[in-house]
PDB file of all heavy atoms in Angstrom:
ATOM      1  N   GLY A   1       9.991  16.939   8.427  1.00  0.00           N
ATOM      2  CA  GLY A   1       8.820  16.125   8.996  1.00  0.00           C
ATOM      3  C   GLY A   1       7.854  16.934   9.842  1.00  0.00           C
ATOM      4  O   GLY A   1       6.739  16.505  10.028  1.00  0.00           O
ATOM      5  N   GLN A   2       8.299  18.154  10.265  1.00  0.00           N
ATOM      6  CA  GLN A   2       7.295  18.973  11.029  1.00  0.00           C
ATOM      7  C   GLN A   2       6.372  19.584   9.937  1.00  0.00           C
ATOM      8  O   GLN A   2       6.731  19.681   8.761  1.00  0.00           O
ATOM      9  CB  GLN A   2       8.048  20.132  11.717  1.00  0.00           C
ATOM     10  CG  GLN A   2       8.717  19.802  12.952  1.00  0.00           C
ATOM     11  CD  GLN A   2       9.291  20.930  13.732  1.00  0.00           C
ATOM     12  OE1 GLN A   2       9.959  21.789  13.061  1.00  0.00           O
ATOM     13  NE2 GLN A   2       9.065  21.052  15.051  1.00  0.00           N
ATOM     14  N   THR A   3       5.176  19.802  10.277  1.00  0.00           N
ATOM     15  CA  THR A   3       4.132  20.437   9.474  1.00  0.00           C
ATOM     16  C   THR A   3       4.119  21.966   9.667  1.00  0.00           C
ATOM     17  O   THR A   3       3.839  22.500  10.753  1.00  0.00           O
ATOM     18  CB  THR A   3       2.747  19.908   9.770  1.00  0.00           C
ATOM     19  OG1 THR A   3       2.809  18.438   9.548  1.00  0.00           O
ATOM     20  CG2 THR A   3       1.717  20.512   8.836  1.00  0.00           C
ATOM     21  N   LEU A   4       4.299  22.681   8.643  1.00  0.00           N
ATOM     22  CA  LEU A   4       4.226  24.194   8.530  1.00  0.00           C
ATOM     23  C   LEU A   4       2.977  24.522   7.859  1.00  0.00           C
ATOM     24  O   LEU A   4       2.453  23.985   6.879  1.00  0.00           O
ATOM     25  CB  LEU A   4       5.385  24.750   7.699  1.00  0.00           C
ATOM     26  CG  LEU A   4       5.315  26.258   7.493  1.00  0.00           C
ATOM     27  CD1 LEU A   4       5.619  26.976   8.742  1.00  0.00           C
ATOM     28  CD2 LEU A   4       6.391  26.647   6.417  1.00  0.00           C
ATOM     29  N   SER A   5       2.291  25.374   8.674  1.00  0.00           N
ATOM     30  CA  SER A   5       0.999  25.951   8.066  1.00  0.00           C
ATOM     31  C   SER A   5       0.996  27.422   7.978  1.00  0.00           C
ATOM     32  O   SER A   5       1.539  28.054   8.932  1.00  0.00           O
ATOM     33  CB  SER A   5      -0.269  25.448   8.863  1.00  0.00           C
ATOM     34  OG  SER A   5      -0.088  25.861  10.160  1.00  0.00           O
ATOM     35  N   VAL A   6       0.528  27.956   6.948  1.00  0.00           N
ATOM     36  CA  VAL A   6       0.544  29.370   6.758  1.00  0.00           C
ATOM     37  C   VAL A   6      -0.912  29.789   6.236  1.00  0.00           C
ATOM     38  O   VAL A   6      -1.321  29.255   5.282  1.00  0.00           O
ATOM     39  CB  VAL A   6       1.617  29.970   5.810  1.00  0.00           C
ATOM     40  CG1 VAL A   6       1.558  31.429   5.688  1.00  0.00           C
ATOM     41  CG2 VAL A   6       2.962  29.405   6.204  1.00  0.00           C
ATOM     42  N   LYS A   7      -1.460  30.867   6.749  1.00  0.00           N
ATOM     43  CA  LYS A   7      -2.786  31.314   6.277  1.00  0.00           C
ATOM     44  C   LYS A   7      -2.735  32.904   6.206  1.00  0.00           C
ATOM     45  O   LYS A   7      -2.197  33.507   7.135  1.00  0.00           O
ATOM     46  CB  LYS A   7      -3.942  31.033   7.302  1.00  0.00           C
ATOM     47  CG  LYS A   7      -4.245  29.425   7.259  1.00  0.00           C
ATOM     48  CD  LYS A   7      -5.590  29.234   8.106  1.00  0.00           C
ATOM     49  CE  LYS A   7      -5.768  27.736   8.106  1.00  0.00           C
ATOM     50  NZ  LYS A   7      -5.765  27.228   9.509  1.00  0.00           N
ATOM     51  N   LEU A   8      -3.208  33.373   5.066  1.00  0.00           N
ATOM     52  CA  LEU A   8      -3.136  34.758   4.735  1.00  0.00           C
ATOM     53  C   LEU A   8      -4.578  35.359   4.645  1.00  0.00           C
ATOM     54  O   LEU A   8      -5.332  34.833   3.922  1.00  0.00           O
ATOM     55  CB  LEU A   8      -2.317  35.131   3.509  1.00  0.00           C
ATOM     56  CG  LEU A   8      -2.251  36.515   3.022  1.00  0.00           C
ATOM     57  CD1 LEU A   8      -1.388  37.420   3.997  1.00  0.00           C
ATOM     58  CD2 LEU A   8      -1.798  36.664   1.597  1.00  0.00           C
ATOM     59  N   LYS A   9      -4.875  36.384   5.444  1.00  0.00           N
ATOM     60  CA  LYS A   9      -6.150  37.152   5.191  1.00  0.00           C
ATOM     61  C   LYS A   9      -5.744  38.508   4.820  1.00  0.00           C
ATOM     62  O   LYS A   9      -4.821  39.045   5.380  1.00  0.00           O
ATOM     63  CB  LYS A   9      -6.922  37.185   6.456  1.00  0.00           C
ATOM     64  CG  LYS A   9      -7.474  35.739   6.999  1.00  0.00           C
ATOM     65  CD  LYS A   9      -8.287  35.796   8.148  1.00  0.00           C
ATOM     66  CE  LYS A   9      -8.759  34.442   8.500  1.00  0.00           C
ATOM     67  NZ  LYS A   9      -9.228  34.436   9.899  1.00  0.00           N
ATOM     68  N   THR A  10      -6.477  38.962   3.759  1.00  0.00           N
ATOM     69  CA  THR A  10      -6.009  40.253   3.166  1.00  0.00           C
ATOM     70  C   THR A  10      -7.271  40.965   2.696  1.00  0.00           C
ATOM     71  O   THR A  10      -8.284  40.358   2.228  1.00  0.00           O
ATOM     72  CB  THR A  10      -4.971  40.105   2.141  1.00  0.00           C
ATOM     73  OG1 THR A  10      -4.602  41.409   1.569  1.00  0.00           O
ATOM     74  CG2 THR A  10      -5.343  39.182   0.973  1.00  0.00           C
ATOM     75  N   ASN A  11      -7.098  42.374   2.560  1.00  0.00           N
ATOM     76  CA  ASN A  11      -8.238  43.132   1.894  1.00  0.00           C
ATOM     77  C   ASN A  11      -7.845  43.430   0.450  1.00  0.00           C
ATOM     78  O   ASN A  11      -8.581  44.133  -0.132  1.00  0.00           O
ATOM     79  CB  ASN A  11      -8.152  44.490   2.632  1.00  0.00           C
ATOM     80  CG  ASN A  11      -6.969  45.336   2.485  1.00  0.00           C
ATOM     81  OD1 ASN A  11      -5.932  44.912   2.107  1.00  0.00           O
ATOM     82  ND2 ASN A  11      -7.204  46.655   2.672  1.00  0.00           N
ATOM     83  N   GLN A  12      -6.775  42.757  -0.073  1.00  0.00           N
ATOM     84  CA  GLN A  12      -6.283  43.100  -1.437  1.00  0.00           C
ATOM     85  C   GLN A  12      -6.224  41.855  -2.259  1.00  0.00           C
ATOM     86  O   GLN A  12      -5.479  40.970  -1.884  1.00  0.00           O
ATOM     87  CB  GLN A  12      -4.920  43.731  -1.360  1.00  0.00           C
ATOM     88  CG  GLN A  12      -4.119  43.970  -2.657  1.00  0.00           C
ATOM     89  CD  GLN A  12      -4.880  44.728  -3.686  1.00  0.00           C
ATOM     90  OE1 GLN A  12      -5.215  44.117  -4.637  1.00  0.00           O
ATOM     91  NE2 GLN A  12      -4.979  46.089  -3.564  1.00  0.00           N
ATOM     92  N   PRO A  13      -7.050  41.596  -3.343  1.00  0.00           N
ATOM     93  CA  PRO A  13      -6.992  40.411  -4.005  1.00  0.00           C
ATOM     94  C   PRO A  13      -5.759  40.025  -4.717  1.00  0.00           C
ATOM     95  O   PRO A  13      -5.559  38.940  -5.075  1.00  0.00           O
ATOM     96  CB  PRO A  13      -8.145  40.553  -5.044  1.00  0.00           C
ATOM     97  CG  PRO A  13      -8.491  42.047  -5.096  1.00  0.00           C
ATOM     98  CD  PRO A  13      -7.943  42.657  -3.865  1.00  0.00           C
ATOM     99  N   SER A  14      -4.852  40.996  -4.847  1.00  0.00           N
ATOM    100  CA  SER A  14      -3.484  40.665  -5.505  1.00  0.00           C
ATOM    101  C   SER A  14      -2.405  40.432  -4.537  1.00  0.00           C
ATOM    102  O   SER A  14      -1.243  40.482  -4.842  1.00  0.00           O
ATOM    103  CB  SER A  14      -3.068  41.806  -6.432  1.00  0.00           C
ATOM    104  OG  SER A  14      -3.976  41.957  -7.511  1.00  0.00           O
ATOM    105  N   ASN A  15      -2.745  40.226  -3.185  1.00  0.00           N
ATOM    106  CA  ASN A  15      -1.896  40.073  -2.153  1.00  0.00           C
ATOM    107  C   ASN A  15      -1.728  38.507  -1.877  1.00  0.00           C
ATOM    108  O   ASN A  15      -2.671  37.828  -1.685  1.00  0.00           O
ATOM    109  CB  ASN A  15      -2.317  40.743  -0.865  1.00  0.00           C
ATOM    110  CG  ASN A  15      -1.458  40.706   0.339  1.00  0.00           C
ATOM    111  OD1 ASN A  15      -1.872  40.969   1.509  1.00  0.00           O
ATOM    112  ND2 ASN A  15      -0.178  40.282   0.195  1.00  0.00           N
ATOM    113  N   TYR A  16      -0.466  37.900  -1.982  1.00  0.00           N
ATOM    114  CA  TYR A  16      -0.190  36.562  -1.718  1.00  0.00           C
ATOM    115  C   TYR A  16       1.099  36.336  -0.973  1.00  0.00           C
ATOM    116  O   TYR A  16       1.723  37.210  -0.536  1.00  0.00           O
ATOM    117  CB  TYR A  16      -0.059  35.926  -3.134  1.00  0.00           C
ATOM    118  CG  TYR A  16      -1.219  35.878  -4.012  1.00  0.00           C
ATOM    119  CD1 TYR A  16      -1.383  36.712  -4.961  1.00  0.00           C
ATOM    120  CD2 TYR A  16      -2.238  34.981  -3.736  1.00  0.00           C
ATOM    121  CE1 TYR A  16      -2.526  36.730  -5.848  1.00  0.00           C
ATOM    122  CE2 TYR A  16      -3.392  34.889  -4.546  1.00  0.00           C
ATOM    123  CZ  TYR A  16      -3.458  35.800  -5.566  1.00  0.00           C
ATOM    124  OH  TYR A  16      -4.662  35.738  -6.256  1.00  0.00           O
ATOM    125  N   PHE A  17       1.384  35.015  -0.705  1.00  0.00           N
ATOM    126  CA  PHE A  17       2.638  34.739  -0.013  1.00  0.00           C
ATOM    127  C   PHE A  17       3.266  33.559  -0.732  1.00  0.00           C
ATOM    128  O   PHE A  17       2.575  32.752  -1.356  1.00  0.00           O
ATOM    129  CB  PHE A  17       2.453  34.441   1.493  1.00  0.00           C
ATOM    130  CG  PHE A  17       1.761  33.140   1.720  1.00  0.00           C
ATOM    131  CD1 PHE A  17       2.463  32.016   1.918  1.00  0.00           C
ATOM    132  CD2 PHE A  17       0.391  33.178   1.872  1.00  0.00           C
ATOM    133  CE1 PHE A  17       1.824  30.739   2.148  1.00  0.00           C
ATOM    134  CE2 PHE A  17      -0.273  31.958   2.209  1.00  0.00           C
ATOM    135  CZ  PHE A  17       0.431  30.833   2.305  1.00  0.00           C
ATOM    136  N   ASN A  18       4.649  33.504  -0.664  1.00  0.00           N
ATOM    137  CA  ASN A  18       5.352  32.323  -1.171  1.00  0.00           C
ATOM    138  C   ASN A  18       6.065  31.752   0.073  1.00  0.00           C
ATOM    139  O   ASN A  18       6.316  32.442   1.043  1.00  0.00           O
ATOM    140  CB  ASN A  18       6.467  32.714  -2.127  1.00  0.00           C
ATOM    141  CG  ASN A  18       5.853  33.228  -3.390  1.00  0.00           C
ATOM    142  OD1 ASN A  18       4.702  32.970  -3.734  1.00  0.00           O
ATOM    143  ND2 ASN A  18       6.630  33.891  -4.245  1.00  0.00           N
ATOM    144  N   VAL A  19       6.397  30.378   0.021  1.00  0.00           N
ATOM    145  CA  VAL A  19       7.207  29.864   1.076  1.00  0.00           C
ATOM    146  C   VAL A  19       8.394  29.256   0.387  1.00  0.00           C
ATOM    147  O   VAL A  19       8.331  28.514  -0.646  1.00  0.00           O
ATOM    148  CB  VAL A  19       6.402  28.650   1.724  1.00  0.00           C
ATOM    149  CG1 VAL A  19       7.409  27.901   2.725  1.00  0.00           C
ATOM    150  CG2 VAL A  19       5.276  29.029   2.404  1.00  0.00           C
ATOM    151  N   ARG A  20       9.611  29.709   0.860  1.00  0.00           N
ATOM    152  CA  ARG A  20      10.876  29.311   0.269  1.00  0.00           C
ATOM    153  C   ARG A  20      11.741  28.445   1.307  1.00  0.00           C
ATOM    154  O   ARG A  20      11.728  28.732   2.485  1.00  0.00           O
ATOM    155  CB  ARG A  20      11.701  30.600   0.031  1.00  0.00           C
ATOM    156  CG  ARG A  20      11.124  31.368  -1.138  1.00  0.00           C
ATOM    157  CD  ARG A  20      12.139  32.349  -1.668  1.00  0.00           C
ATOM    158  NE  ARG A  20      11.615  33.023  -2.832  1.00  0.00           N
ATOM    159  CZ  ARG A  20      11.442  32.524  -4.065  1.00  0.00           C
ATOM    160  NH1 ARG A  20      11.805  31.346  -4.294  1.00  0.00           N
ATOM    161  NH2 ARG A  20      10.781  33.146  -5.107  1.00  0.00           N
ATOM    162  N   GLN A  21      12.333  27.421   0.752  1.00  0.00           N
ATOM    163  CA  GLN A  21      13.146  26.605   1.466  1.00  0.00           C
ATOM    164  C   GLN A  21      14.630  27.023   1.375  1.00  0.00           C
ATOM    165  O   GLN A  21      15.076  27.485   0.353  1.00  0.00           O
ATOM    166  CB  GLN A  21      12.988  25.186   0.890  1.00  0.00           C
ATOM    167  CG  GLN A  21      13.818  24.055   1.556  1.00  0.00           C
ATOM    168  CD  GLN A  21      13.764  22.762   0.948  1.00  0.00           C
ATOM    169  OE1 GLN A  21      12.898  22.544   0.067  1.00  0.00           O
ATOM    170  NE2 GLN A  21      14.520  21.811   1.437  1.00  0.00           N
ATOM    171  N   PRO A  22      15.490  26.918   2.312  1.00  0.00           N
ATOM    172  CA  PRO A  22      16.858  27.417   2.355  1.00  0.00           C
ATOM    173  C   PRO A  22      17.585  26.569   1.248  1.00  0.00           C
ATOM    174  O   PRO A  22      17.365  25.407   1.143  1.00  0.00           O
ATOM    175  CB  PRO A  22      17.436  27.098   3.771  1.00  0.00           C
ATOM    176  CG  PRO A  22      16.467  26.131   4.325  1.00  0.00           C
ATOM    177  CD  PRO A  22      15.094  26.378   3.713  1.00  0.00           C
ATOM    178  N   GLY A  23      18.423  27.378   0.427  1.00  0.00           N
ATOM    179  CA  GLY A  23      19.303  26.755  -0.466  1.00  0.00           C
ATOM    180  C   GLY A  23      18.585  26.292  -1.804  1.00  0.00           C
ATOM    181  O   GLY A  23      19.146  25.632  -2.563  1.00  0.00           O
ATOM    182  N   GLN A  24      17.277  26.558  -1.911  1.00  0.00           N
ATOM    183  CA  GLN A  24      16.547  26.124  -3.126  1.00  0.00           C
ATOM    184  C   GLN A  24      16.088  27.370  -3.889  1.00  0.00           C
ATOM    185  O   GLN A  24      15.621  28.373  -3.327  1.00  0.00           O
ATOM    186  CB  GLN A  24      15.275  25.314  -2.788  1.00  0.00           C
ATOM    187  CG  GLN A  24      15.543  24.106  -1.979  1.00  0.00           C
ATOM    188  CD  GLN A  24      16.309  23.061  -2.752  1.00  0.00           C
ATOM    189  OE1 GLN A  24      16.100  22.835  -3.981  1.00  0.00           O
ATOM    190  NE2 GLN A  24      17.326  22.387  -2.178  1.00  0.00           N
ATOM    191  N   ASP A  25      16.244  27.326  -5.250  1.00  0.00           N
ATOM    192  CA  ASP A  25      15.858  28.364  -6.115  1.00  0.00           C
ATOM    193  C   ASP A  25      14.298  28.494  -6.220  1.00  0.00           C
ATOM    194  O   ASP A  25      13.641  29.542  -6.166  1.00  0.00           O
ATOM    195  CB  ASP A  25      16.489  28.260  -7.526  1.00  0.00           C
ATOM    196  CG  ASP A  25      18.048  28.597  -7.410  1.00  0.00           C
ATOM    197  OD1 ASP A  25      18.388  29.258  -6.489  1.00  0.00           O
ATOM    198  OD2 ASP A  25      18.653  28.033  -8.300  1.00  0.00           O
ATOM    199  N   GLU A  26      13.704  27.289  -6.386  1.00  0.00           N
ATOM    200  CA  GLU A  26      12.278  27.196  -6.577  1.00  0.00           C
ATOM    201  C   GLU A  26      11.532  27.199  -5.224  1.00  0.00           C
ATOM    202  O   GLU A  26      11.862  26.578  -4.300  1.00  0.00           O
ATOM    203  CB  GLU A  26      11.937  25.980  -7.355  1.00  0.00           C
ATOM    204  CG  GLU A  26      10.591  26.119  -8.030  1.00  0.00           C
ATOM    205  CD  GLU A  26      10.232  24.828  -9.022  1.00  0.00           C
ATOM    206  OE1 GLU A  26      11.305  24.664  -9.872  1.00  0.00           O
ATOM    207  OE2 GLU A  26       9.330  24.161  -8.838  1.00  0.00           O
ATOM    208  N   ALA A  27      10.410  28.023  -5.284  1.00  0.00           N
ATOM    209  CA  ALA A  27       9.545  28.176  -3.980  1.00  0.00           C
ATOM    210  C   ALA A  27       8.956  26.788  -3.681  1.00  0.00           C
ATOM    211  O   ALA A  27       8.484  26.123  -4.678  1.00  0.00           O
ATOM    212  CB  ALA A  27       8.604  29.283  -4.089  1.00  0.00           C
ATOM    213  N   LEU A  28       8.807  26.558  -2.475  1.00  0.00           N
ATOM    214  CA  LEU A  28       7.950  25.289  -2.037  1.00  0.00           C
ATOM    215  C   LEU A  28       6.453  25.540  -2.426  1.00  0.00           C
ATOM    216  O   LEU A  28       5.707  24.544  -2.684  1.00  0.00           O
ATOM    217  CB  LEU A  28       8.033  25.044  -0.543  1.00  0.00           C
ATOM    218  CG  LEU A  28       9.208  24.246   0.029  1.00  0.00           C
ATOM    219  CD1 LEU A  28       9.137  24.129   1.492  1.00  0.00           C
ATOM    220  CD2 LEU A  28       9.226  22.884  -0.586  1.00  0.00           C
TER     221      LEU A  28
END
């Protein structure tokens, strides 16, 4: 129920992030 927020700023257009939940194979 808590809200997680993530923002990425980068100098590289191929730079990203994933968010993973514990015990789950597929990323959120």
